Amino acid sequence: DLTTTADWWTRGKYDINTGLRYDVRYQFNGSIYASYAYQSMGQPGDPNRSVTTNWDLSINHQQTLSPNTQLTANVQMSSQNYFQSTSLDYARLLDNSQNLVSNVTLFQSWPNSGNSISINLHRDQNLQDGSITSNLPNISFSHNQSYPFRSAADENKPLNELAWYELIGISYNGQFENNASKLADTSYSTGFDRFSAYGLQHSISISASPKIGYFTLSPYVRMTDNMYPSRTILRDVASPEGRDSLVAEKQRGFYNVGFFQTGLTASTRLYGLMKPDIFGVTAFRH
């Protein structure tokens, strides 16, 4: 269905609001809402006459592309002063932390291999100062725990019949982020500082759960590697007045920061038997 409404004031102000809702069964559904606001202050020909226009856009979409592929979108965007010029809700007018957050996510999984990938576009708009932070895009790939040394014929075997190396499991997660920001500069009333950065992270986990006697041992190793296209070097520089200060120097290149964790846990189970022999109950195993 489609709905259109309009508000009109006799002294130079009008709003137009349009909303579309759609639903194709078993495929996709969503809605699109858009608004446009016009406001003039003063009479035509006045030296102080001003005309302002504001807009707002909201999109919600959900779609199943295949049994293993889904697309979701929740987009909210507006001009900075839209709510201040159109809202009749005092709580929203006085809210000092107004933010419009948008997310678009495409998810794909491959159940037989244990692999999945998620691509996300994220945007956060601050309506108070006009700052915008975004991830364009954020890509995450993961591989669930698999056992590379275990054959398909051994998948259904009891764990105590498998060799120790067949109990070794490996999982992986990789993430790429590209961040872009436009932040309000507090030192200037109308200025913005722009920043951008991207990086890649790999994380590999290796674990096993062999059973030795009555104990189950669980050794593990987790390795993480972060990749960056630049680094910042802080240098201590003496000024002519004799005071020391730190100077930041950005260097382009390819840099890695890696770390790992390792550990070992052991567990067992103790069982007991209680024989109350009451109410027809011979024993409790606990």
Side-chain angles (χ1 to χ4, degrees), residues 26-40:
Y26 311 124
Q27 296 186 34
F28 59 83
N29 63 83
S31 62
I32 301 174
Y33 291 95
S35 301
Y36 176 82
Y38 172 92
Q39 183 175 8
S40 63

Side-chain angles (χ1 to χ4, degrees), residues 43 45 79 90 125 133 138 145 162 176 195 216 246 261 283:
Q43 298 296 326
S79 57
Y90 289 108
Q125 178 184 359
T133 59
N138 184 350
Q145 190 174 54
L162 297 176
F176 170 81
F195 304 93
T216 299
L246 289 177
Q261 291 177 301

Side-chain angles (χ1 to χ4, degrees), residues 178-181 194-198 250 252:
N178 181 38
N179 301 324
S181 304
R194 299 180 183 272
F195 304 93
S196 62
Y198 64 90
K250 191 172 185 178
R252 297 288 183 179

Side-chain angles (χ1 to χ4, degrees), residues 91-112:
R92 190 160 197 177
L93 287 172
L94 298 176
D95 187 2
N96 293 324
S97 59
Q98 285 186 6
N99 285 75
L100 296 181
V101 179
S102 301
N103 282 290
V104 179
T105 303
L106 176 65
F107 177 79
Q108 168 74 49
S109 64
W110 296 269
N112 294 333

Side-chain angles (χ1 to χ4, degrees), residues 88-191:
L88 301 178
D89 184 355
Y90 289 108
R92 190 160 197 177
L93 287 172
L94 298 176
D95 187 2
N96 293 324
S97 59
Q98 285 186 6
N99 285 75
L100 296 181
V101 179
S102 301
N103 282 290
V104 179
T105 303
L106 176 65
F107 177 79
Q108 168 74 49
S109 64
W110 296 269
N112 294 333
S113 64
N115 298 328
S116 64
I117 187 172
S118 174
I119 303 175
N120 175 260
L121 306 178
H122 175 85
R123 183 179 185 271
D124 190 332
Q125 178 184 359
N126 187 296
L127 298 179
Q128 299 298 319
D129 57 16
S131 298
I132 298 176
T133 59
S134 57
N135 292 341
L136 303 171
N138 184 350
I139 303 175
S140 178
F141 176 85
S142 64
H143 173 74
N144 295 335
Q145 190 174 54
S146 61
Y147 301 90
F149 306 110
R150 188 184 303 179
S151 64
D154 295 335
E155 285 294 333
N156 298 322
K157 276 188 177 182
L159 296 180
N160 56 1
E161 296 182 9
L162 297 176
W164 66 269
Y165 56 85
E166 293 180 303
L167 299 174
I168 298 176
I170 299 177
S171 61
Y172 168 82
N173 181 267
Q175 187 171 357
F176 170 81
E177 283 192 16
N178 181 38
N179 301 324
S181 304
K182 185 186 78 169
L183 305 179
D185 189 347
T186 56
S187 59
Y188 298 96
S189 58
T190 59

